[in-house]
Amino acid sequence: MVKICIVIPAYNEEHAIADTVEDYAAHFPDAVMVVVDNNSKDRTHAIVEEHFRGTRHLLLKETAQGKGRAVKKALSRLVADVYIMVDADHTYPATDARRLCDELIRERLDMVVGDRVSHGAYDKQNTRSFHGFGNRVLTQLISFLANKRYSDVLSGMRIMSRPFVDLLDVQSHGFQLETELNVIAAYAKADVREVPIDYRARKEDSESKLDTFRDGARIVMFAILNAIAFYPFVIFGAVGALCLLISLVWGLFVISTYLQLGAVPYIATTIAAATFGMIGLQSITSGLILGIIGGDRRRATIADFLKGRREWNERLDALEAEQP
C-alpha cells in the first residue's frame, strides 16, 4: 500500500479544522494526518486532540511562528511515499486532493498543484480584491524568475512525491513556502503539473492569515533572493548588461562631445560612464563564475534527485505488482 502523509499546518482555525480533518480522513482512510498547531490562541489544539485521540494521526506543536516552519516540522516527522500539504481552513476539498494524489501516483509526477485560478474557482470565493490581484502579479513574477509558466503559485494544496520532499530544505518561515516549492521544483527540473480544482469559501468567522501587502512583499523578496542564489548568471548578467548599456550611451555622448569641441566638459559624465562600465563587466564576470559553480551544484542535485525518483518508482512498481 502506498504510504500517504497529509500535512495540515493550523493557526487559529477552530471553526474549520474539524471539518478539514473529517473530510480528509474520509477520503484517505489509510493515510496518516499530521496537524501542526502553530501557536493557536483559540480551541484549534483541543479540537484536533479530541479527533486524534486513539488514532495513528499526529498532533504536533510548533512554537516558532510561520507556515513554513510548521510544514518543515511535519515533513521531518514521517517517511511516506506521497505527501499532501493542505491548509486547515477547509477551502480545499478532499475529493480534489484524492484526484490529484491518484494522478501523481499514476503519472509518477514530482508535484501536483491544485490550481484554483484557471477555472475561476478562486475569483468566485475571494472577497478581498487585492488578494486576487496580488496572486496574479506574484504568479507572473515567480514564473519569470523560475523560467517556468505557472497559473497559481500561492495554492495551498500540494501533492508531493517522496523524492521531491527529500530534496527540500525548507528555508521560508511563513507564506513564502509555496513560492519556495515552485522555485526549487524549477531548479531541480521536477515534473510539476497544475490541475484545476474547486475552492470553497471560508467558513464564517474564519479569516485569512495572509496580509496582502506585508506578506506579498516578503514573498517577492524571497523569490528574488532565491533567483539570485539559483540563477546568478541570469540576474547578474541582466544587471551587467544594463550597466554596460548606460555606460555605452554616456560614453558615446562624451566621445561625440570631445570630437566636436576638442575637450571633455562633462567630467562627471565621463566618470559615471567609466564607473558603470566597470560595474557592468564586474557583474557579468561575477555572474559567470557563480553560474559555473552553481551549474556543477545543480547537476549534482539533479543527479541525486533522479536517483531518489528511480528508487521511488521501483517501490511503486513493486506495490502495483502485488495488487490482485
Side-chain angles (χ1 to χ4, degrees), residues 5 34 58-60 71-79 83:
C5 175
V34 182
L58 299 176
L59 171 60
L60 307 179
V71 169
K72 184 174 184 177
K73 184 162 192 172
L75 293 178
S76 67
R77 188 61 183 264
L78 292 176
V79 175
Y83 294 82

Side-chain angles (χ1 to χ4, degrees), residues 262-282:
V264 182
Y266 305 106
I267 302 299
T269 305
T270 305
I271 295 174
T275 301
F276 271 92
M278 289 186 291
I279 293 174
L281 290 174
Q282 182 63 46

